[in-house]
Amino acid sequence: MAIVVKLDDLLHARRMTLTDLSDRIGITLANLSILKTGKAKAMRFSTLEAICTELECQPGDLLAFEADS
Amino acid sequence: MPKTHSTLLGVTRGLLWLMLALVAVLFLFVIGVGAALIVIWPEIAAEAKNSQVFLDADAMRPQLFALLGFFAAVLAAALYILRKLQALVASAAGDPFIPANADRLRHIGWALVAVQLLALPLGSIARGIAVPTSQFADMGGINLNGILSILLAFVLAAVFEKGAAMRADLEGTV
């Protein structure tokens, strides 16, 4: 998919695990794992808001567009 | 799942088993009639002549065999449809909006088309051997309910396909 989720990089920069994030924002580890591995087909604004709030970032820090080669 | 829905599903499950049993009985009936046509044909022909239902009772044995063959094929299609319906009902206990159910409904639709196609020669043979006013001559032929069932099955298949795609999207939403 052309949309890349950079959750792994953001977590790494903040020295936070996926489990920590899951506990803090109340989204299941399974769903966050789907997001992190790029298997998600869509993302709710509420999820985006929760992640951006917790990681103090902008949506653009989390998502990027990479044209399919 | 609401109680009424699970009760309805239970009743449907029971009815499907009942209909499968009926199809099995009809299969045995076809085999029995086929055997009778071979073994006691003179008696059957005499009885048919007395009934005044048939045009030429002595010469209709090949047509009766053909009728039995078509009828057996209709029963095979009915068996196939009932098994697919059983699988559909079984999946309804969980999540019915899966691509497999769209395929099942489409297969049911094609099986119903086959039944309608088989009913054409069945009706034509029946009209060929029985007097036009008899009930026997009304057998088979084009059936409006059958055509509606075919449409319904294909429309439902399209709905389930869309539903399955929407469910897959929803499951991929985080």
Side-chain angles (χ1 to χ4, degrees):
Chain A
M1 191 182 273
I3 300 294
V4 179
V5 181
K6 298 186 290 182
L7 185 59
D8 216 15
D9 297 342
L10 287 175
L11 287 173
H12 189 257
R14 285 155 183 76
R15 309 234 182 278
M16 196 187 282
T17 66
L18 207 61
T19 313
D20 292 337
L21 184 64
S22 168
D23 289 342
R24 290 184 196 183
I25 65 176
I27 291 171
T28 63
L29 190 59
N31 272 345
L32 283 181
S33 182
I34 288 170
L35 190 64
K36 196 184 92 167
T37 52
K39 288 177 186 158
K41 289 183 181 172
M43 193 176 179
R44 292 188 183 90
F45 278 161
S46 56
T47 305
L48 191 59
E49 187 185 332
I51 294 173
C52 286
T53 305
E54 191 56 42
L55 300 183
E56 294 174 349
C57 65
Q58 290 297 313
D61 300 328
L62 182 65
L63 304 171
F65 171 75
E66 285 177 12
D68 288 326
S69 54
Chain B
M1 189 185 293
K3 194 170 180 282
T4 47
H5 283 194
S6 60
T7 311
L8 261 176
L9 273 181
V11 170
T12 309
R13 212 171 286 135
L15 277 174
L16 285 173
W17 276 114
L18 206 69
M19 288 177 80
L20 274 174
L22 184 70
V23 168
V25 168
L26 287 172
F27 258 125
L28 291 176
F29 171 76
V30 167
I31 292 168
V33 172
L37 283 178
I38 295 167
V39 180
I40 51 164
W41 172 241
E43 288 89 334
I44 292 173
E47 193 65 40
K49 217 180 279 179
N50 288 339
S51 72
Q52 313 240 314
V53 171
F54 301 100
L55 297 170
D56 185 4
D58 289 321
M60 66 176 188
R61 191 150 77 144
Q63 287 95 321
L64 287 180
F65 273 122
L67 268 184
L68 282 181
F70 283 118
F71 192 55
V74 168
L75 286 177
L79 183 72
Y80 179 78
I81 291 169
L82 289 171
R83 294 294 296 162
K84 292 280 173 193
L85 280 174
Q86 276 188 322
L88 267 172
V89 170
S91 78
D95 177 14
F97 288 108
I98 49 172
N101 277 350
D103 288 341
R104 282 179 187 129
L105 281 163
R106 198 169 299 109
H107 292 160
I108 288 173
W110 283 117
L112 287 169
V113 169
V115 169
Q116 278 300 297
L117 290 178
L118 287 165
L120 295 177
L122 207 106
S124 137
I125 294 170
R127 278 190 299 280
I129 58 172
V131 290
T133 49
S134 67
Q135 245 186 341
F136 197 89
D138 284 340
M139 192 191 294
I142 290 278
N143 182 324
L144 195 67
N145 284 342
I147 293 169
L148 278 175
S149 310
I150 292 169
L151 287 176
L152 195 66
F154 283 127
V155 167
L156 271 177
V159 168
F160 267 71
E161 201 165 58
K162 187 78 184 163
M166 286 169 76
R167 173 54 55 94
D169 264 355
L170 194 66
E171 276 172 0
T173 301
V174 176

